[in-house]
Amino acid sequence: IEQDLLVDLGSTRVYSSVIQRFCDGAAIGCNTLTYLHNPLFPVIIDGAHTGISGVACVLCDVRNAGNVIDADTTNYASIILTAGVGATGSISVEDVLATYPAGTFAGYHIDNSALVDLSLLSGVNISTYLNGVVQESATGSPALISIGSDLLADDGQHIIGLVTTEPFDAVAIHLTNTVSLNLGTTNVYGVVIDSLCGGTIGCDSTYFMTNPDFPVVIDAGRTGIDGVVCAGCSVQNEWNVITSDPDDYATIVITAGVLADGSIAVHDPTYTYPGGIVTGFAIEDVNALVEAQLFGSLTISTYNNGVLQESASGIQLLDVSVSFNWVEPGTGIYNVGMTTTLPFDEVRITVGSLVGINNTINVYGFFMDTENLDPILCAALPVTWLSFDVRKENLQSRLTWTTAREFNNAGYEVQRSPDGRFFSTIGRVDMTGTDEVIHSYSFTDDRPVKGMNYYRVKQTDLDGRFTYSQVRSISFDGGEQVVQVWPNPVSDILTIRLEDDHDAGVVRMINATGAIIKEIKFDQYEGMIEWNVSDLESGYYNLIIETSKGRTVQKIMILR
């Protein structure tokens, strides 16, 4: 502890030395909200982006930041801001071993009664970082997404974040009071991420859009009660609309004769669908009203990038005949929807008030139907994934997949990850045709890494939009090379030892952008390699060892 001329440190109590061993975190499932916390993930509070900044503020504070990353999801950190002061309170969480790919939802679970109206997000910012450098930043609505989830305990709680377009290893929340908003105290429960993948639809079919098959979320900003204060009105269990269980449901209750309505909105943050699709919700009218009275109280609306596209209500609505039903037909059961004419990425159902009777609607699921979609419009849909499989063949991974249509396909990238989160491209496969027949593809990874190998295929449209297959994994635990690398973190000499002698090989150091910045080739390997890395800047790197026995990838921290 060193004191300079401007600071009087006084007495410092030293309790003990502390160490923590970082291990790779669990794989993130597709389209599943996941907390990043110890001990499942190697996360820490990033001190460089945590605390109070901006103008001096005596009463502003960030308290109990460590609660954000512990296993107890009911406790929280607090960011306290004083009214009228332009200070910013921040908390940042970093994964010290993994880098998360673009296309991941990253956000925070927070509680603040001042944010019940989510149009007041101007004081909220979510930013991502990679190796300490900001990657992207989103402030306010509509840049930020607010997700409804069963992780939330009450109306004051929100999951707010963004869908990333750049890789990242840290996520920060920054809160600032504005002229029109005093945030006061915000409780921060944890970091929540979601690997958004899969979810393509094809022609001449009906799809009920549920997790984890589709990357759909509940848009909390357009879900809930609007209009006059209504004590008996409610929107309950809205997240049940996007679960894969056909027996659960959300419920909207609107009291008779009030000037209020209730809504549930489902958003796909990864794709914009073309007009011409029939879309809507599978519902149950609890009161068994006549169809005209029921449909007169309902409105289906579509949005794109947060902007209202079109709406239908009353006689404009359809009781859609679909290829399969989410709920068995019966009294009061409808697939209520509309035929879209404009592109959209979000669909909302709104229930209004009736005279003399409470309007109670159970909402089971959200559907899209393309059976009558014009073939020209169908060409705007992404490729339809039929299957994706990975099998072990000797010391190689054999990937096979099939698709149903390729109207707008520019080709495929095969991607691999050692941890199920950070994927890199290991090969490309061209498309085989542009007609309606089923297409089959294969790819062989002849150098899988030791341990678990996670694979996915990225399909890119001609206009640059893309989708992912599901993730498949396979393990290579025996007969491959065993590598020991130490120390990690390292400041000067990195030691690499292979289990056996090898005729030839190469060791490469890769930086965060994927560039090779250091390389050693050898014709005959014996013993150990001692590599001086003192000329490299502090940060995270991928160490890649390739020999005749295979390829090993390990994340290295260089620390000065």
Side-chain angles (χ1 to χ4, degrees):
I1 297 175
E2 187 171 303
Q3 178 172 289
D4 61 29
L5 295 177
L6 300 178
V7 179
D8 181 5
L9 292 176
S11 297
T12 301
R13 295 176 178 176
V14 182
Y15 289 89
S16 66
S17 61
V18 180
I19 66 171
Q20 180 175 355
R21 180 188 176 197
F22 293 116
C23 302
D24 288 335
I28 303 298
C30 277
N31 308 320
T32 304
L33 289 173
T34 304
Y35 282 108
L36 293 184
H37 61 72
N38 299 141
L40 293 181
F41 297 92
V43 287
I44 61 172
I45 298 297
D46 173 17
H49 302 106
T50 297
I52 300 296
S53 59
V55 301
C57 179
V58 175
L59 299 179
C60 297
D61 197 8
V62 175
R63 298 178 182 173
N64 303 315
N67 287 350
V68 173
I69 58 172
D70 69 13
D72 185 354
T73 56
T74 64
N75 66 13
Y76 47 81
S78 295
I79 299 176
I80 303 170
L81 299 175
T82 302
V85 177
T88 296
S90 306
I91 294 177
S92 180
V93 173
E94 178 185 2
D95 189 317
V96 300
L97 295 182
T99 300
Y100 296 89
T104 301
F105 172 84
Y108 276 82
H109 175 185
I110 67 173
D111 186 355
N112 189 319
S113 58
L115 295 175
V116 171
D117 182 353
L118 291 172
S119 64
L120 301 175
L121 289 178
S122 57
V124 181
N125 170 274
I126 302 292
S127 298
T128 61
Y129 299 83
L130 183 61
N131 298 331
V133 178
V134 64
Q135 294 293 93
E136 53 195 317
S137 183
T139 301
S141 180
L144 292 174
I145 296 174
S146 180
I147 293 178
S149 166
D150 59 356
L151 301 178
L152 306 177
D154 58 53
D155 291 340
Q157 295 188 16
H158 310 282
I159 294 175
I160 296 173
L162 74 158
V163 177
T164 62
T165 61
E166 301 288 344
F168 65 96
D169 59 16
V171 186
I173 182 169
H174 306 290
L175 302 176
T176 307
N177 279 341
T178 64
V179 174
S180 59
L181 177 64
N182 175 25
L183 289 172
T185 298
T186 303
N187 296 329
V188 183
Y189 287 85
V191 174
V192 181
I193 65 170
D194 189 351
S195 180
L196 301 173
C197 51
T200 57
I201 68 173
C203 303
D204 303 319
S205 300
T206 301
Y207 297 86
F208 280 89
M209 315 291 282
T210 64
N211 297 148
D213 291 334
F214 292 91
V216 287
V217 298
I218 297 296
D219 178 359
R222 292 189 176 87
T223 297
I225 302 298
D226 293 316
V228 300
V229 176
C230 178
C233 299
S234 65
V235 176
Q236 306 164 19
N237 304 317
E238 61 271 16
W239 48 85
N240 284 345
V241 174
I242 57 174
T243 70
S244 59
D245 184 351
D247 295 324
D248 65 13
Y249 52 82
T251 301
I252 302 175
V253 180
I254 303 298
T255 304
V258 299
L259 296 177
D261 52 50
S263 301
I264 296 174
V266 180
H267 174 47
D268 185 335
T270 67
Y271 208 82
T272 298
Y273 297 90
I277 291 176
V278 177
T279 186
F281 294 83
I283 68 167
E284 178 185 20
D285 167 28
V286 174
N287 296 320
L289 303 171
V290 297
E291 183 175 312
Q293 186 180 17
L294 170 67
F295 281 24
S297 70
L298 303 179
T299 301
I300 302 292
S301 305
T302 62
Y303 297 80
N304 193 26
N305 295 324
V307 178
L308 177 65
Q309 298 293 93
E310 52 193 325
S311 297
S313 59
I315 62 174
Q316 300 170 319
L317 294 175
L318 308 172
D319 182 12
V320 182
S321 176
V322 296
S323 56
F324 75 97
N325 290 290
W326 194 245
V327 185
E328 288 300 318
T331 303
I333 301 295
Y334 300 91
N335 295 311
V336 58
M338 62 178 288
T339 301
T340 62
T341 63
L342 299 173
F344 65 96
D345 59 17
E346 182 172 340
V347 183
R348 183 190 198 194
I349 182 171
T350 301
V351 178
S353 177
L354 296 171
V355 176
I357 186 173
N358 292 346
N359 199 3
T360 303
I361 303 295
N362 293 332
V363 185
Y364 282 85
F366 162 57
F367 68 84
M368 290 193 190
D369 184 87
T370 61
E371 291 192 65
N372 297 313
L373 186 61
D374 186 289
I376 296 176
L377 293 176
C378 192
L381 292 173
V383 161
T384 299
W385 299 95
L386 295 181
S387 67
F388 176 46
D389 186 49
V390 179
R391 296 184 179 182
K392 183 185 296 186
E393 293 184 357
N394 298 320
L395 296 180
Q396 299 176 331
S397 298
R398 178 73 169 174
L399 286 69
T400 58
W401 66 96
T402 58
T403 64
R405 48 171 300 283
E406 294 189 337
F407 286 109
N408 194 31
N409 184 17
Y412 300 93
E413 294 180 25
V414 179
Q415 299 183 343
R416 183 182 64 199
S417 167
D419 57 13
R421 287 171 284 171
F422 173 57
F423 285 84
S424 57
T425 298
I426 59 172
R428 288 176 170 80
V429 177
D430 293 332
M431 61 177 291
T432 61
T434 58
D435 53 19
E436 289 281 0
V437 301
I438 295 175
H439 302 277
S440 299
Y441 296 91
S442 64
F443 179 87
T444 298
D445 178 10
D446 57 5
R447 291 186 174 182
V449 300
K450 176 178 172 56
M452 292 300 298
N453 291 255
Y454 296 87
Y455 296 95
R456 70 183 183 188
V457 179
K458 177 182 178 181
Q459 178 273 325
T460 304
D461 289 352
L462 293 172
D463 58 9
R465 295 183 293 183
F466 58 86
T467 60
Y468 292 105
S469 71
Q470 295 287 334
V471 177
R472 299 286 185 262
S473 63
I474 195 168
S475 176
F476 286 82
D477 293 325
E480 302 84 34
Q481 64 179 353
V482 176
V483 179
Q484 293 177 307
V485 179
W486 75 90
N488 189 13
V490 60
S491 59
D492 46 20
I493 303 299
L494 184 68
T495 301
I496 305 167
R497 184 170 69 187
L498 305 184
E499 183 182 56
D500 303 311
D501 292 346
H502 297 268
D503 293 335
V506 60
V507 181
R508 296 185 177 95
M509 192 76 78
I510 311 294
N511 67 11
T513 67
I516 300 174
I517 58 170
K518 206 172 182 67
E519 182 179 88
I520 292 178
K521 294 182 178 179
F522 51 86
D523 295 326
Q524 180 67 37
Y525 169 83
E526 295 180 359
M528 296 185 296
I529 296 173
E530 292 187 342
W531 203 5
N532 190 336
V533 295
S534 60
D535 58 328
L536 300 182
E537 296 180 355
S538 295
Y540 295 102
Y541 297 81
N542 280 327
L543 181 71
I544 300 178
I545 302 103
E546 296 186 16
T547 71
S548 58
K549 281 200 170 183
R551 184 174 187 263
T552 300
V553 180
Q554 185 164 338
K555 193 166 186 177
I556 300 294
M557 174 190 283
I558 295 179
L559 188 63
R560 297 283 175 255

